[in-house]
Amino acid sequence: MMRRFRADLHLHTVLSPCADLAMSPDQLLATAKRKELDIIAITDHNSTLNCKVVREIAADFGIVVLNGCEVNSQEDVHALCLFEDDHTRDEFQKFIDSYLPQIPNKPDYYGYQPVVDRDNQIITEIPWYLGNGLPVSLEEIADFTHYLNGLFIPAHIDRPINSLFSQLGFLPKELKIDGMQLTRYADEKHIRKLYDIHSDISLIKASA
Ligand SMILES: [Zn+2]
Ligand SMILES: [Zn+2]
């Protein structure tokens, strides 16, 4: 019998300016456990820096955690980039660090951006606002992700902002993707038809 896995490949920790400060690593894993998830990906905006702590404590919860992030491209398209190990995560983090615009965060307005340890103690705060687009095209981000053997998945394609279809209107031929992500309540059939998405392209659903 084929075993089925439940996965949520789009989750934010406290590091994301939009996320609740209560979204500590153990809270996040406890919630994932309650939802009977087997696999999750940590995908904060333009940062992978809280992946490590979640992976460190994930074994206690029996959950597999993928390294990831939700990159905002030059076109203001959000995409999930997922990596299998810490080396490729590090390499991708360097890529982000070299491009992230150094525009200071405004915590009162956007929210705090803490990197935390397993006790949810703040190790450091990212000074630059993580919600900005990197001055790099979606295609270049996809190519670099694939160079690191990662998966590249345009995020929440059914949303009216920051999605592949809201920003570009179509899937460019030269853009190599490993699937597309829909929001939780999206109607998969409707979206496939609406954007003429080929049946070879897998669609996944995620919470964010
Ligand atoms: Zn997004
Ligand atoms: Zn998100």
Side-chain angles (χ1 to χ4, degrees), residues 10 45 70 78 155-156 159 162:
H10 188 159
H45 292 288
E70 180 177 21
H78 288 185
H156 44 64
R159 276 180 43 179
N162 296 132

Side-chain angles (χ1 to χ4, degrees), residues 54-172:
V54 180
R55 275 160 72 91
E56 274 170 12
I57 58 175
D60 301 346
F61 294 82
I63 292 172
V64 171
V65 177
L66 303 179
N67 285 317
C69 73
E70 180 177 21
V71 177
N72 190 7
S73 75
Q74 174 173 275
E75 303 89 345
D76 266 328
V77 176
H78 288 185
L80 306 173
C81 304
L82 308 177
F83 302 96
E84 59 185 339
D85 60 32
D86 293 331
H87 171 70
T88 46
R89 185 198 62 84
D90 272 353
E91 292 301 307
F92 196 75
Q93 183 61 45
K94 284 182 206 157
F95 174 83
I96 294 172
D97 289 341
S98 68
Y99 288 113
L100 185 73
Q102 298 197 341
I103 298 169
N105 184 30
K106 295 182 198 143
D108 293 338
Y109 185 72
Y110 293 121
Y112 288 89
Q113 302 182 149
V115 177
V116 296
D117 67 12
R118 59 173 67 204
D119 303 314
N120 208 29
Q121 296 299 305
I122 295 173
I123 300 170
T124 184
E125 273 186 53
I126 309 297
W128 317 123
Y129 177 53
L130 292 172
N132 284 308
L134 306 183
V136 189
S137 72
L138 202 57
E139 194 187 335
E140 286 171 88
I141 296 166
D143 289 349
F144 190 65
T145 301
H146 289 139
Y147 167 75
L148 296 174
N149 285 321
L151 297 176
F152 182 82
I153 301 171
H156 44 64
I157 57 160
D158 51 307
R159 276 180 43 179
I161 49 162
N162 296 132
S163 80
L164 180 74
F165 296 121
S166 75
Q167 304 309 109
L168 305 183
F170 65 103
L171 173 65

